Amino acid sequence: MQISSVNDVKIYNLSHGKSLPEWLSDRKKRQLQKKDADIQRRIELIQDFEMPTVCTSIKVSRDGQFILAAGTYKPRIRCYDTYQLSLKFERCLDSDVVAFDILSEDYSKLVFLHCDRYVEFHSQHGHYYKTRIPKFGRDFSYHYPSCDLYFVGTSSEVFRLNLEQGRFLSSLQTDAVENNVCDINPVHHLLATGTSEGRVECWDPRVRNRVGMLDCALSIQGLPSVSALKFNGSLTMAVGTSTGQVLLYDLRSSQPLLVKDHFYNLPIKSLNFHDQLDLVVSADSKIIKIWNKDSGKVFSSIQPQTNINDALGPAPRWCSFLDNLTEELEESPESTVYDDYKFVTRKDLENLGLSHLVGSSLLKAYMHGYFMDVRLYHKIKSMANPFAYEEYRKDKIRQKIEESRTQRVQVKKLPKVNKDLALKLMEEGDDEAELASRKKRGKALPTILGDDRFKMMFENPDYQVDEQSEEFRLLNPIVSKVGQKRKKKLRLLAQQAAAAAEDEEEPEGRASSEEESSDDDKSWVEEVREQRRLLRQEDRDRRRQKRKDKTSQPHFYQIKAGEEFRSFNDMARKQKLQKASLEDRLKLEEHSGTSNMADTAVGSKQLTFTLKKSEQQRKQQQAEREHHEERKKLRRSAGHLSSGRGRGWGRGRGRGRSLH
């Protein structure tokens, strides 16, 4: 049992504590209940007061003796007898229950509205009758004077089923697209329906006419729909919206008396009234709030670990004996865990050498690992590491020694990893402390060295800063100058640490921090250029060395089967041919009638092809050659035309020139 207090109101969680795993058999559970003292101390208000998976709705009969709960899976209804504090009966159903109601004083007359539009009637012995409504239903109410069942759902109509006549009557036509909930006032039997548009329509069952309408959306922001509805007395009505508000109305006014917000933006699922204390009990899927009906002041709240589907309201008289039990059995809060089982992953099993147990009854698969008996785990753990206690003891002794050393005079010690960065942070911390000391109200900010979140950066070698990398050298342009100064200070600190035991004085002649840091503001530009030049030079040196290593090593070629080896003289011939002009190479190829291409000097690949011509092309070329030969024979010399007669003869455009 767990105890919590909200606004000085004690809340007792009777089912809190160590829970039993679901995979255990009933016999194993009974054995654990007999042996385990924690389970024995749990208060089981009613025997088997639970559902296999989830409970969707719960109601109490009007005589207060029976509690009926609907849940899944499989769809079922369970009835509990409060006089015997035990399960009376259980009935399985064909489909999930959307809503149900108790028509009699006890459990003998039940009505169930199913998710598949069926309406099922049960009597004391079991199933009695089943019928179907035209549209999918969401809620219903029973009008006792006329024996009418009013069903609302995904329709603008309100269906009426008369149980005395056994037939459907004419429906009530509303202005809404869909109706979510409905309720009947117990005093004057006014029927109210909550619509998806955020309105509440009120109907008089005697004349089957609408007598009023409330627009709840005007009182709050947004476009909420009505998700819960409950009457209290003859004039008070509570309306719950899908956005998490509860509105209290007086039926004589269209304005709400009070608006209570849950601040979770979740639909209100249940509304009840506590008349003795003038309280309202409103519940969404996350929290149950109990608040004053007149002022809206919170009386108390209940926030369980699981989602809420329904709330009963005030406790009935049959559990009044809990007042005495709770005072005697108060316990400190405990977390709900499987204390008798240890959760291990597959990697943990490999480390313990228990991989062969996968698939056996000793391991129960759960999510990404397994549950195993905690006694077996501790036994295997002690066998795998028998010196674990000694290591734990040494660690504790080491921690005690370190705590005692903190009271001594501390000497600056640098970590093993990133010493330069640690020294830089120390210097910045000293500067901030000095600046804060000059200001009266100033305080030095915490440094990275004192933050546990960055502890691994100075302990794990994987976080070591590589000062020779290209990124570091370009992003830190003055790293060379600052690095030299910091190395000097590192050597100085090492000397101070070595001489601390001998109480030596600090060496004189050391330059002050102001003199060391007096660098030109624009010196980083030249430093960046120098670093870029050095990077380019190093890159060229690497490539030159790579080429040198490549040429210095001999290259071997393997002659494949079917290939012919050619002498290395072909390489020289090929080099000479490459130096020749394109015209000379084409003439050589035309003269030989072939064109050769070789990739290597040893004849690894060779392609030979011959230029073939068609018969027509050869005849045409032969005719052209004969024509040129004939023209050469008929051609005569024109040297006798040139003479020295004057300007224009033999050249130019003289009028006395003639051609033969």
Side-chain angles (χ1 to χ4, degrees):
M1 184 176 63
Q2 184 188 34
I3 303 172
S4 59
S5 179
V6 179
N7 287 348
D8 296 331
V9 177
K10 285 188 177 182
I11 300 173
Y12 299 92
N13 189 349
L14 305 181
S15 60
H16 184 84
K18 184 170 61 176
S19 57
L20 296 175
E22 296 181 359
W23 64 79
L24 295 180
S25 61
D26 295 339
R27 182 181 178 183
K28 184 67 174 177
K29 289 181 180 179
R30 288 193 296 269
Q31 292 177 356
L32 289 176
Q33 290 175 358
K34 293 179 182 178
K35 298 178 181 179
D36 199 323
D38 294 337
I39 299 177
Q40 291 177 359
R41 284 196 298 264
R42 291 181 60 187
I43 299 177
E44 192 172 20
L45 185 62
I46 299 176
Q47 184 181 4
D48 297 331
F49 196 54
E50 59 184 3
M51 278 289 174
T53 304
V54 64
C55 179
T56 56
S57 56
I58 186 169
K59 291 183 180 297
V60 180
S61 62
R62 282 182 289 179
D63 60 3
Q65 183 179 353
F66 302 99
I67 299 176
L68 288 101
T72 190
Y73 176 82
K74 301 177 180 179
R76 66 190 69 202
I77 182 74
R78 284 183 173 180
C79 179
Y80 300 93
D81 191 345
T82 58
Y83 290 174
Q84 303 296 328
L85 297 179
S86 62
L87 176 66
K88 186 172 183 63
F89 67 84
E90 178 183 16
R91 297 172 188 170
C92 289
L93 306 173
D94 295 334
S95 58
D96 291 333
V97 176
V98 177
F100 78 96
D101 199 1
I102 306 171
L103 304 184
S104 60
E105 295 291 331
D106 54 3
Y107 68 92
S108 58
K109 293 180 182 180
L110 306 175
V111 182
F112 300 97
L113 176 61
H114 293 276
C115 61
D116 54 0
R117 295 193 290 144
Y118 275 105
V119 180
E120 190 171 352
F121 298 89
H122 282 224
S123 61
Q124 190 171 2
H125 63 82
H127 177 268
Y128 179 76
Y129 182 73
K130 179 187 286 188
T131 186
R132 205 173 192 185
I133 58 177
K135 299 290 184 179
F136 290 97
R138 293 178 178 174
D139 196 9
F140 71 93
S141 295
Y142 181 62
H143 186 237
Y144 284 92
S146 62
C147 297
D148 287 343
L149 277 174
Y150 291 88
F151 296 93
V152 296
T154 58
S155 174
S156 60
E157 296 180 283
V158 179
F159 304 108
R160 291 196 302 154
L161 177 60
N162 188 273
L163 301 185
E164 184 179 8
Q165 303 178 26
R167 65 186 182 94
F168 282 96
L169 303 179
S170 58
S171 304
L172 304 179
Q173 184 64 44
T174 65
D175 294 339
V177 178
E178 295 178 350
N179 293 279
N180 297 329
V181 291
C182 64
D183 192 24
I184 295 179
N185 191 290
V187 179
H188 48 68
H189 305 291
L190 185 69
L191 172 66
T193 61
T195 67
S196 59
E197 291 85 3
R199 298 188 181 94
V200 176
E201 298 186 10
C202 297
W203 298 76
D204 190 349
R206 298 171 296 180
V207 296
R208 297 186 298 278
N209 290 329
R210 186 172 60 195
V211 296
M213 179 185 294
L214 290 175
D215 196 344
C216 304
L218 297 177
S219 303
I220 54 179
Q221 296 180 354
L223 297 174
S225 61
V226 178
S227 59
L229 197 63
K230 187 68 175 179
F231 280 105
N232 181 37
S234 59
L235 297 177
T236 306
M237 180 180 63
V239 180
T241 63
S242 60
T243 54
Q245 292 87 15
V246 180
L247 295 87
L248 285 182
Y249 282 94
D250 190 309
L251 295 181
R252 296 169 294 185
S253 174
S254 60
Q255 298 296 326
L257 302 176
L258 181 66
V259 178
K260 183 66 177 179
D261 198 339
H262 274 216
F263 297 106
Y264 283 106
N265 292 328
L266 297 174
I268 303 298
K269 289 192 172 184
S270 178
L271 291 171
N272 284 284
F273 289 89
H274 196 298
D275 296 329
Q276 289 80 4
L277 299 177
D278 289 335
L279 300 177
V280 180
V281 182
S282 58
D284 56 22
S285 60
K286 189 176 183 65
I287 193 171
I288 301 174
K289 288 194 174 183
I290 307 171
W291 43 279
N292 189 274
K293 183 173 61 175
D294 299 326
S295 62
K297 183 179 179 181
V298 176
F299 178 76
S300 183
S301 61
I302 303 173
Q303 191 168 1
Q305 297 178 353
T306 57
N307 292 338
I308 302 170
N309 291 328
D310 201 354
L312 280 178
R317 62 179 182 273
W318 54 265
C319 58
S320 59
F321 64 91
L322 289 176
D323 295 338
N324 299 328
L325 290 178
T326 52
E327 294 179 0
E328 298 175 1
L329 300 177
E330 286 187 1
E331 300 174 358
S332 59
E334 297 178 359
S335 58
T336 304
V337 294
Y338 297 150
D339 293 335
D340 295 334
Y341 293 87
K342 173 69 176 178
F343 180 80
V344 292
T345 61
R346 185 175 289 272
K347 186 176 181 180
D348 296 336
L349 292 177
E350 293 176 357
N351 296 334
L352 296 174
L354 300 178
S355 301
H356 61 283
L357 295 181
V358 176
S360 64
S361 59
L362 298 176
L363 296 177
K364 183 65 179 180
Y366 184 77
M367 295 179 66
H368 62 283
Y370 305 90
F371 272 115
M372 65 181 302
D373 194 291
V374 67
R375 295 170 296 179
L376 176 62
Y377 174 80
H378 288 312
K379 186 176 181 180
I380 299 299
K381 187 74 174 178
S382 61
M383 294 173 61
N385 189 6
F387 303 103
Y389 176 74
E390 293 295 332
E391 295 176 358
Y392 172 78
R393 182 171 173 271
K394 291 179 180 179
D395 291 338
K396 284 295 183 182
I397 295 174
R398 190 181 304 109
Q399 292 177 6
K400 291 292 184 181
I401 294 174
E402 293 295 333
E403 291 176 0
S404 62
R405 286 177 177 175
T406 55
Q407 301 176 359
R408 304 177 184 176
V409 178
Q410 297 292 325
V411 181
K412 270 189 178 179
K413 290 186 178 180
L414 295 176
K416 298 180 180 179
V417 182
N418 291 327
K419 293 184 178 180
D420 294 346
L421 179 60
L423 180 59
K424 178 182 177 182
L425 295 174
M426 287 180 181
E427 293 175 353
E428 293 176 355
D430 295 340
D431 296 340
E432 291 180 0
E434 183 179 357
L435 183 62
S437 62
R438 294 177 183 177
K439 298 180 180 180
K440 295 182 179 180
R441 298 182 181 179
K443 292 184 179 179
L445 298 176
T447 60
I448 297 179
L449 292 173
D451 198 335
D452 292 339
R453 296 176 297 175
F454 305 96
K455 181 173 62 175
M456 295 302 297
M457 196 166 83
F458 302 99
E459 295 179 358
N460 194 345
D462 295 337
Y463 292 95
Q464 178 65 44
V465 177
D466 186 9
E467 297 184 358
Q468 300 300 324
S469 62
E470 181 178 354
E471 294 81 2
F472 182 85
R473 294 169 64 179
L474 292 179
L475 294 176
N476 296 268
I478 57 174
V479 65
S480 58
K481 296 181 180 180
V482 177
Q484 293 175 0
K485 299 172 184 177
R486 193 167 289 128
K487 288 178 181 178
K488 293 180 180 178
K489 194 163 186 177
L490 283 173
R491 290 194 297 268
L492 182 59
L493 287 175
Q495 294 175 2
Q496 290 179 357
E502 301 177 1
D503 296 330
E504 292 183 358
E505 297 181 355
E506 183 180 359
E508 299 180 357
R510 184 173 62 89
S512 63
S513 59
E514 295 181 357
E515 295 176 355
E516 292 178 353
S517 59
S518 60
D519 296 328
D520 189 9
D521 294 338
K522 297 183 179 180
S523 62
W524 62 271
V525 179
E526 297 296 332
E527 187 66 25
V528 169
R529 293 176 181 174
E530 181 65 20
Q531 291 295 332
R532 291 186 180 276
R533 187 187 65 78
L534 292 175
L535 288 173
R536 288 195 296 267
Q537 181 65 29
E538 292 174 1
D539 186 49
R540 287 194 296 268
D541 295 341
R542 285 195 298 269
R543 286 184 291 180
R544 189 181 299 109
Q545 184 65 28
K546 187 175 181 181
R547 288 196 300 267
K548 183 178 179 181
D549 296 341
K550 186 176 181 181
T551 55
S552 61
Q553 298 178 358
H555 296 276
F556 299 94
Y557 299 93
Q558 181 179 3
I559 300 177
K560 298 181 180 180
E563 295 182 354
E564 182 180 357
F565 174 75
R566 296 185 301 166
S567 64
F568 291 98
N569 295 329
D570 293 341
M571 177 61 71
R573 183 179 61 81
K574 184 177 180 181
Q575 293 178 355
K576 292 181 180 180
L577 184 61
Q578 290 178 352
K579 294 180 180 179
S581 62
L582 178 61
E583 181 181 3
D584 296 338
R585 283 183 285 176
L586 290 176
K587 287 182 180 180
L588 181 60
E589 292 178 358
E590 289 180 358
H591 179 72
S592 61
T594 60
S595 179
N596 300 331
M597 289 193 304
D599 290 343
T600 61
V602 296
S604 62
K605 292 181 181 180
Q606 183 174 5
L607 177 65
T608 304
F609 60 92
T610 304
L611 301 176
K612 294 184 179 181
K613 299 179 181 179
S614 62
E615 185 67 23
Q616 184 177 1
Q617 290 177 346
R618 287 198 300 271
K619 289 182 180 180
Q620 185 177 359
Q621 290 180 358
Q622 183 65 25
E624 289 178 357
R625 284 195 295 270
E626 293 178 355
H627 176 69
H628 286 299
E629 293 294 335
E630 184 180 357
R631 291 290 300 271
K632 286 180 181 179
K633 293 179 181 179
L634 294 177
R635 187 175 61 182
R636 292 175 294 177
S637 175
H640 64 280
L641 295 178
S642 60
S643 62
R645 292 184 179 182
R647 296 180 64 182
W649 287 96
R651 58 185 176 180
R653 293 183 179 180
R655 290 180 293 179
R657 184 180 61 182
S658 62
L659 296 175
H660 298 279

